[in-house]
Amino acid sequence: MTTDGAAGRHVVLYDGDCAFCARWRDRMAARDRGGRVEWLSVHDAAVATRFPGLDREDAMRQMYVYAPDGTLTKGADGWITLCSVIPGLRVLAALSRIPGVPPVLRRVYRFIAARRYRLSCANASCRARRDAGRGGSATGRAPLAVLALLLAAGTSLALSGCGAQEDPLVDRLAAIADPAAAAVLRATFRNYGGYDAWARHETVEYLYTLEIYNGRKEPFAVSRQLHRLGLREERAYVEELDVDEPRVVRLDGDALEVRRGGLRITEPDELEYPRALSRLVRWSFMHPWNLLGPGSILEGRATRTPPAEGTIPADPCDVVRHRLTRDGRDGGVESDDWQDFYISRLSRLVDRVHSYRADDHTYRVSIWSDYWTVGGVRVATRRRTYASDELGMLGRLEGIATYSDIRFDVPIEDSLSDSQRPLAASAGGE
């Protein structure tokens, strides 16, 4: 493993998706004017290379601190190590050596670490209350008190109004997933930016390009579209690009408006496909977050290694099967269709989705790649879809979908209107 020991620096592995953890990183870094400590998020891609033997699940439970000689301390003991390194805090490390103090620190640390996402306080009013009570910035001085009191301050926050809120992710997974699936998805959602980062956004806009192959070596059709989607409500705007008479679809729940070349389409038979398309593009973009949606049933399917696509061996994946109830509501009758999400044990990101449709007994495998982080959320910007068999073997290439120019929280009209002006003309300027 590499810990930058030659530079004489300590390396801290911490949960970079945790706002509470990041605030304490900033406080400590502000004191570390000599650069004695490197802070590295456990979600950083460099961690797998620099720390190949890392127990990632344990590193998510407690902070890791590596000394330049490779010595490792964890959790509360890691904080004591940092206090012994950073100027102005060494008295805390000395006080922590009082008999009986370290066990108390460890218990308090474990209490706070298990509740760190509740302490993150994502909404603006919560941040305002916290900052007013603290009387300083996030990078202000760490309190010069014994380390036990420093950690106890976090405990008092956990019992205050900010920390007392329920964690919707934990509660939702407990309701719809077995323990194995819930454990995998908790780690997965953290690597997609964390539930708080996702929940901050209301809408998304992006350019969508679909290359249709149907088994051919070159695409025989290419479609480009502008999509604007509601992430909390079933709302969608789909506009065809680069065509003479673009079709524009506006969906708002059950309400639908479709225009082609500026003329409104009213024939019921011509509205069903645009309605299904709008719902499909919204469903596809929202993976994996729509696993939390109404009617979801999630089941752990153990660990499998998918067939390699080329000469590079595939990584083992934790598999979570996703079913929906037929009426789309919790407590309904389970559907015969399913999707198996293959989640890499290395990156904790979705590697592929293996789907089965009972109506025609067809299988598809979607390969996810080219991840980008936008607005604090990771998005797979390239997805290849293959025909498959029941074993998940890749057949012919059917299509490649790419997502570009992604922007969150772009306004969507409040209601459907008779306006004939498509949105693409203003897509880049709002």
Side-chain angles (χ1 to χ4, degrees), residues 156-289:
S156 66
L157 278 175
L159 300 176
S160 69
C162 282
Q165 58 188 334
E166 295 298 321
D167 186 336
L169 177 61
V170 172
D171 293 345
R172 181 61 181 156
L173 288 175
I176 64 175
D178 63 25
V184 171
L185 288 175
R186 281 197 296 270
T188 297
F189 289 135
R190 282 195 295 268
N191 273 19
Y192 276 88
Y195 182 82
D196 287 345
W198 170 257
R200 282 198 298 268
H201 301 299
E202 297 292 335
T203 65
V204 67
E205 175 191 277
Y206 56 86
L207 294 180
Y208 176 80
T209 303
L210 176 62
E211 299 174 307
I212 302 174
Y213 286 81
N214 282 356
R216 305 182 186 186
K217 292 184 178 180
E218 300 294 333
F220 76 90
V222 178
S223 173
R224 295 182 68 248
Q225 301 172 356
L226 172 71
H227 293 173
R228 283 187 181 178
L229 312 175
L231 303 179
R232 301 286 163 264
E233 301 172 329
E234 191 178 60
R235 305 178 68 196
Y237 175 95
V238 178
E239 177 185 342
E240 294 177 336
L241 305 176
D242 305 330
V243 294
D244 293 335
E245 295 185 346
R247 179 174 57 195
V248 175
V249 181
R250 288 180 171 90
L251 176 73
D252 189 350
D254 291 329
L256 178 72
E257 178 187 277
V258 181
R259 292 181 180 272
R260 184 182 293 280
L263 300 177
R264 187 164 183 171
I265 296 174
T266 58
E267 291 295 326
D269 291 345
E270 296 186 51
L271 297 177
E272 288 311 306
Y273 174 75
R275 185 189 303 275
L277 172 66
S278 301
R279 287 173 170 165
L280 177 63
V281 298
R282 181 175 178 271
W283 169 261
S284 299
F285 180 84
M286 288 182 62
H287 275 329
W289 298 100

Side-chain angles (χ1 to χ4, degrees), residues 44 63 116 142 254 316 321 356 360-361 428 430:
D44 194 299
M63 180 180 71
R116 65 188 185 275
D254 291 329
R321 176 157 295 183
Y356 170 70
D360 52 11
H361 303 289
E430 295 184 356

Side-chain angles (χ1 to χ4, degrees), residues 316-328:
C317 293
D318 290 315
V319 181
V320 173
R321 176 157 295 183
H322 177 224
R323 295 181 185 270
L324 284 172
T325 56
R326 289 195 177 95
D327 59 5

